């Protein structure tokens, strides 16, 4: 991410401090980094493609809906901004996910059981 986009994010967040921390990362579609601001930590995901704004607007809406239920912990979405150099950025609350791998087995089991107990899962499992 370039200095112009960083300044735009700082302005929208109302922060002077915007320091990258951690290793960052990227997936098949977008890349991201975590930053420390005057108001705490944020996660910034960026994508240079023309359809990025639409994708991030959808992610913002879906995370907002989940966040508002207060049933599971998801990052609070903060901003979606167009990148002057193309694409868009999505800014959310930073969640520290370290140490969660010890729950992988339990999570997989729980999701499998929920799927099997659902009507669709039960029918598929029974060959109906």
């Amino acid at each position: 991410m370039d200095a112009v986009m960083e300044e735009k994010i700082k302005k929208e967040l109302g922060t002077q401090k915007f320091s990258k921390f951690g290793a960052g990362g990227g997936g098949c579609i977008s890349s991201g980094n975590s930053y420390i601001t005057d108001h705490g930590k944020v996660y910034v995901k960026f994508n240079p493609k023309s359809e990025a704004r639409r994708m991030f607007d959808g992610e913002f809406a879906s995370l907002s809906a989940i966040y508002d239920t207060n049933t599971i912990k998801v990052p609070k979405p903060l901003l979606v901004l167009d990148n002057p150099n193309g694409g868009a950025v999505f800014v959310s609350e930073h969640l520290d996910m370290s140490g969660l791998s010890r729950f992988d087995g339990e999570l997989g089991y729980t999701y499998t059981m929920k799927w099997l107990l659902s009507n669709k899962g039960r029918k598929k499992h029974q060959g109906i």
Side-chain angles (χ1 to χ4, degrees), residues 99-113:
L100 293 178
S101 62
R102 66 179 183 246
F103 299 111
D104 287 353
E106 182 181 344
L107 180 63
Y109 176 79
T110 301
Y111 276 124
T112 300
M113 293 310 294

Side-chain angles (χ1 to χ4, degrees), residues 18-26 32-36 41-44 46 94-98:
F18 195 71
S19 304
K20 189 183 333 182
F21 76 95
N33 286 301
S34 293
Y35 294 84
I36 298 172
K41 297 175 183 177
V42 297
Y43 181 72
V44 179
F46 39 93
H94 169 87
L95 291 183
D96 184 11
M97 304 294 282
S98 62

Side-chain angles (χ1 to χ4, degrees), residues 65-95:
I66 296 168
Y67 183 86
D68 289 345
T69 68
N70 204 27
T71 55
I72 61 171
K73 181 68 174 165
V74 295
K76 180 179 183 180
L78 302 172
L79 300 170
V80 176
L81 300 169
D82 291 319
N83 187 337
N85 296 318
V89 299
F90 173 76
V91 183
S92 69
E93 167 190 27
H94 169 87
L95 291 183

Side-chain angles (χ1 to χ4, degrees), residues 8 28 69 87:
K8 190 173 182 179
C28 299
T69 68

Side-chain angles (χ1 to χ4, degrees), residues 10 16 25 29 31 38 42 47-48 54 77 87 102 105 121-122 125 127:
K10 283 170 60 175
Q16 294 296 312
I29 299 171
S31 298
D38 296 336
V42 297
N47 185 298
R54 191 171 98 184
R102 66 179 183 246
R122 186 171 43 257
H125 182 69

Side-chain angles (χ1 to χ4, degrees), residues 4-64:
V4 172
M5 193 68 234
E6 285 189 11
E7 286 302 316
K8 190 173 182 179
I9 294 169
K10 283 170 60 175
K11 180 181 176 189
E12 291 294 322
L13 291 176
T15 184
Q16 294 296 312
K17 187 175 186 179
F18 195 71
S19 304
K20 189 183 333 182
F21 76 95
C28 299
I29 299 171
S30 301
S31 298
N33 286 301
S34 293
Y35 294 84
I36 298 172
T37 73
D38 296 336
H39 314 292
K41 297 175 183 177
V42 297
Y43 181 72
V44 179
K45 191 184 317 187
F46 39 93
N47 185 298
K49 297 185 179 175
S50 61
E51 57 276 352
R53 176 65 190 236
R54 191 171 98 184
M55 176 181 67
F56 288 153
D57 283 341
E59 184 171 355
F60 188 100
S62 61
L63 279 175
S64 291

